[in-house]
Amino acid sequence: MKVSTTIAEVRSQVKEWKRQGLSVGLVPTMGYLHEGHQSLIARAARENDRVVVSVFVNPIQFGPSEDLESYPRDFERDCTLCEKTGADLVFHPEASEMYAENFCTYVDMDRLTKGLCGASRPVHFRGVCTVVSKLFHIVTPDRAYFGQKDAQQLAVIKRMVRDLSMDVEIVGCPIIREPDGLAKSSRNTYLSPQERRAAVVLSQALAEGRKALAEGERSAQAITGIIRGVLESEPLAQPEYVELVDWETLEPVETADRPVLAAIAVRIGTTRLIDNFVFEEGPECN
Amino acid sequence: MKVSTTIAEVRSQVKEWKRQGLSVGLVPTMGYLHEGHQSLIARAARENDRVVVSVFVNPIQFGPSEDLESYPRDFERDCTLCEKTGADLVFHPEASEMYAENFCTYVDMDRLTKGLCGASRPVHFRGVCTVVSKLFHIVTPDRAYFGQKDAQQLAVIKRMVRDLSMDVEIVGCPIIREPDGLAKSSRNTYLSPQERRAAVVLSQALAEGRKALAEGERSAQAITGIIRGVLESEPLAQPEYVELVDWETLEPVETADRPVLAAIAVRIGTTRLIDNFVFEEGPECN
């Protein structure tokens, strides 16, 4: 497995692979990899001849009061995990390699990004779209893998690819959870032992919401009420949002009469956690 | 020469060419082609194995009070000119092919686009960057050709390509002029015979500015004063801006001590015309 820190080196390696007719999968990450990322890399390795993992804590997707500085990093461990999971190239650039002096071009969206996490993180998805665009231009992957855990991000990237006619297949992958149900996240490391125990309330609350849907409840107000009720039973949990939205447009729905995303963001102490599920009639997609 | 109206068809043709190891040049246009466009197509044909010309009056780069509806169109004549100049494929999509329902993703820039034409055309460069991004994703050209006539557009596209790590060489090509000096433009067709005679004042004014620079004048105020003086001698000419800016950042300069762009926008009657020149010490680039 190769580690590259420059755009030029990645581009040259990928061009060599493409000349050989090999397909390329990309897994964009911010590092501090866990089993969630690992499942993306493993799937990319199954579906492509070569796999590139980017490990880059992207400064422009953090707001001024967010956790850019404290975001956990362990590049050596990341490399070990990438190698054993089947990655061929890890792209690990400095911020100055990605954002040259006087950088001023952004990819942004005037829908899909205003609600849910976008409401409290106004520059977040602009930063995500911009860095993912750059990674697509650098790696020119046939397929790119994103976790369903960041459901809004997945919907936004799919829309960006459609709108900007990018020639890449976006593959959404299921949420990987701890044994007690907590969705895997690099930010789980921020939790104290007591907070870690409390954090299970996110998946528990969503399970109740999903149960109501499965039993035929279709009112968004009823379903979000059920989810909110469970969250409020945990004193350490402060819900930021609890929403039921159209899974394609991310617009709030009143009735779950099409594929819907139930998404929540909750503060446990100072740590902001998110979780979600997608529900559609027939076989469920998550 | 082939004409395609769908993204899928263009993509498939270009992939076939790439499989054969052929290089591809792209000339993005809004049609109603003149000798300026022709010079871009001819250069693209000299420098690439295959040439794609896009003919698309891009609605999102026009403001609500601008000339989208009246913009001149003559697709049959455009095709004749493309074919005889060496194009291999003309991409002529409907607006609905480029902008699907609920289109909401844009490429934009928070510098370079605020001054000059951007001051009176606030959505223009967002529309240009977005459509050019799409065309790059669809055609994946090795080189793309833009006229120096739209100098701000050329600087903006170069910056977009750098910032978003797009793998395409941007080739700027000299302004093509009528015998009396008027820069070729599809919008010249709007001019009455009297206005057409008056319009020569743009190139005359710039020639005086360039002469002052060549003779050693370096004060931006003095140079723009000279240009403005000539423009004001023509009663039909209403200057919108007369500026001397850094040719890379497009920031106004006080002193022409680096490569500079002298750019003007002038209304002749209701028609808005632009012209410019780039000046640098040593061999001039335009």
Side-chain angles (χ1 to χ4, degrees):
Chain A
M1 191 188 72
K2 193 170 163 178
V3 175
S4 292
T5 58
T6 68
I7 292 169
E9 204 174 61
V10 173
R11 211 184 290 258
S12 143
Q13 174 63 82
V14 171
K15 282 190 180 171
E16 181 51 36
W17 287 336
K18 298 252 164 160
R19 259 192 297 276
Q20 297 169 31
L22 302 172
S23 62
V24 177
L26 170 67
V27 183
T29 84
M30 298 215 298
Y32 211 73
L33 304 179
H34 51 64
E35 291 86 339
H37 302 104
Q38 201 168 8
S39 75
L40 305 180
I41 299 168
R43 178 154 178 196
R46 284 199 302 279
E47 298 180 349
N48 301 274
D49 299 314
R50 294 290 180 272
V51 174
V52 179
V53 178
S54 60
V55 174
F56 178 58
V57 182
N58 176 34
I60 68 168
Q61 73 186 64
F62 289 79
S65 64
E66 293 179 6
D67 58 345
L68 172 62
E69 294 310 319
S70 61
Y71 196 86
R73 292 160 170 90
D74 188 343
F75 185 60
E76 213 170 305
R77 198 169 60 90
D78 290 345
C79 282
T80 307
L81 184 145
C82 285
E83 179 142 39
K84 82 171 182 210
T85 314
D88 298 281
L89 172 63
V90 171
F91 178 39
H92 184 53
E94 296 283 336
S96 58
E97 175 74 2
M98 292 294 274
Y99 302 113
E101 206 186 345
N102 296 321
F103 182 94
C104 64
T105 312
Y106 297 91
V107 180
D108 205 357
M109 207 167 280
D110 61 14
R111 291 180 222 173
L112 281 82
T113 59
K114 304 306 169 202
L116 304 177
C117 291
S120 67
R121 307 189 72 188
V123 304
H124 178 66
F125 289 108
R126 186 180 81 154
V128 168
C129 287
T130 303
V131 79
V132 171
S133 288
K134 281 179 69 83
L135 291 169
F136 286 175
H137 295 144
I138 295 164
V139 178
T140 62
D142 297 280
R143 293 170 202 85
Y145 296 79
F146 294 86
Q148 173 70 35
K149 158 71 163 27
D150 299 306
Q152 187 174 16
Q153 171 176 279
L154 177 57
V156 163
I157 298 291
K158 280 181 178 169
R159 176 59 69 95
M160 174 182 81
V161 164
R162 186 202 77 158
D163 282 356
L164 296 186
S165 306
M166 292 168 159
D167 192 17
V168 53
E169 182 191 340
I170 301 303
V171 182
C173 301
I175 299 176
I176 305 297
R177 297 180 180 279
E178 302 288 353
D180 69 355
L182 177 65
K184 298 260 184 188
S185 166
S186 306
R187 288 189 172 100
N188 291 349
T189 188
Y190 296 152
L191 300 168
S192 73
Q194 189 195 6
E195 290 168 346
R196 171 63 190 81
R197 284 189 298 275
V200 73
V201 76
L202 279 84
S203 57
Q204 286 172 344
L206 288 172
E208 290 304 312
R210 187 202 284 267
K211 184 160 158 278
L213 273 158
E215 288 168 3
E217 180 60 65
R218 288 292 175 271
S219 151
Q221 204 181 351
I223 294 155
T224 56
I226 289 165
I227 296 171
R228 201 175 272 280
V230 179
L231 292 175
E232 282 167 1
S233 72
E234 169 51 62
L236 290 182
Q238 291 181 299
E240 180 184 299
Y241 66 76
V242 175
E243 288 201 52
L244 203 71
V245 299
D246 182 295
W247 174 220
E248 197 193 322
T249 66
L250 304 186
E251 297 289 332
V253 299
E254 285 186 15
T255 308
D257 53 4
R258 65 201 98 163
V260 289
L261 170 73
I264 62 178
V266 180
R267 279 193 190 273
I268 305 285
T270 56
T271 303
R272 186 177 174 282
L273 300 176
I274 58 175
D275 200 349
N276 69 84
F277 67 85
V278 171
F279 182 86
E280 40 194 324
E281 306 279 2
E284 288 181 21
C285 83
N286 181 35
Chain B
M1 190 187 73
K2 193 169 162 179
V3 175
S4 292
T5 57
T6 68
I7 292 170
E9 202 173 63
V10 173
R11 203 176 285 217
S12 143
Q13 174 63 82
V14 170
K15 282 190 180 169
E16 181 51 36
W17 287 336
K18 298 250 164 161
R19 261 192 295 277
Q20 298 170 30
L22 301 172
S23 63
V24 176
L26 170 67
V27 183
T29 82
M30 298 213 299
Y32 212 74
L33 305 178
H34 50 64
E35 291 87 338
H37 302 104
Q38 200 168 8
S39 75
L40 305 180
I41 300 168
R43 181 155 174 194
R46 285 198 302 277
E47 297 179 350
N48 302 274
D49 297 316
R50 294 291 180 271
V51 174
V52 179
V53 178
S54 61
V55 174
F56 178 57
V57 182
N58 176 35
I60 68 168
Q61 73 187 63
F62 288 79
S65 63
E66 292 179 6
D67 57 345
L68 172 62
E69 294 310 318
S70 60
Y71 196 85
R73 291 158 170 92
D74 188 342
F75 185 61
E76 212 170 305
R77 199 169 59 90
D78 290 345
C79 283
T80 307
L81 184 143
C82 285
E83 178 141 40
K84 81 172 185 209
T85 315
D88 298 281
L89 172 63
V90 171
F91 178 38
H92 183 53
E94 295 285 336
S96 58
E97 174 73 3
M98 293 294 274
Y99 302 113
E101 208 186 344
N102 296 323
F103 182 94
C104 64
T105 311
Y106 297 91
V107 180
D108 204 358
M109 209 167 278
D110 61 14
R111 291 180 223 172
L112 280 85
T113 59
K114 304 306 169 202
L116 305 177
C117 290
S120 67
R121 309 190 71 188
V123 303
H124 178 67
F125 289 108
R126 185 180 81 151
V128 169
C129 287
T130 303
V131 79
V132 171
S133 288
K134 281 179 69 83
L135 291 169
F136 286 176
H137 295 145
I138 295 163
V139 178
T140 63
D142 297 279
R143 294 170 201 84
Y145 297 79
F146 294 87
Q148 173 71 34
K149 158 68 164 29
D150 299 306
Q152 186 174 15
Q153 171 175 279
L154 177 58
V156 163
I157 298 290
K158 281 181 178 169
R159 176 60 69 96
M160 174 182 80
V161 164
R162 186 201 78 158
D163 282 356
L164 296 186
S165 306
M166 292 169 159
D167 193 17
V168 52
E169 182 190 340
I170 301 303
V171 183
C173 301
I175 299 175
I176 306 296
R177 297 180 180 280
E178 302 286 352
D180 68 355
L182 177 65
K184 298 261 185 188
S185 165
S186 306
R187 288 189 172 99
N188 292 348
T189 188
Y190 296 151
L191 300 167
S192 73
Q194 191 196 5
E195 289 168 346
R196 172 63 189 82
R197 285 189 298 275
V200 72
V201 75
L202 279 85
S203 57
Q204 285 172 344
L206 288 172
E208 289 303 310
R210 187 200 283 268
K211 183 160 161 274
L213 273 158
E215 287 169 2
E217 180 60 65
R218 288 293 175 272
S219 152
Q221 202 181 352
I223 295 155
T224 56
I226 288 164
I227 295 171
R228 200 173 273 280
V230 179
L231 292 175
E232 284 167 1
S233 73
E234 170 51 60
L236 290 182
Q238 292 181 297
E240 180 185 298
Y241 66 75
V242 175
E243 288 200 53
L244 203 71
V245 299
D246 181 296
W247 173 220
E248 197 193 323
T249 66
L250 304 186
E251 298 290 331
V253 299
E254 284 186 18
T255 307
D257 53 3
R258 69 202 94 162
V260 288
L261 170 71
I264 63 178
V266 180
R267 280 194 190 274
I268 305 285
T270 57
T271 303
R272 186 177 174 281
L273 300 177
I274 58 176
D275 200 351
N276 70 83
F277 67 86
V278 172
F279 181 86
E280 39 194 326
E281 306 279 2
E284 290 179 19
C285 82
N286 181 33

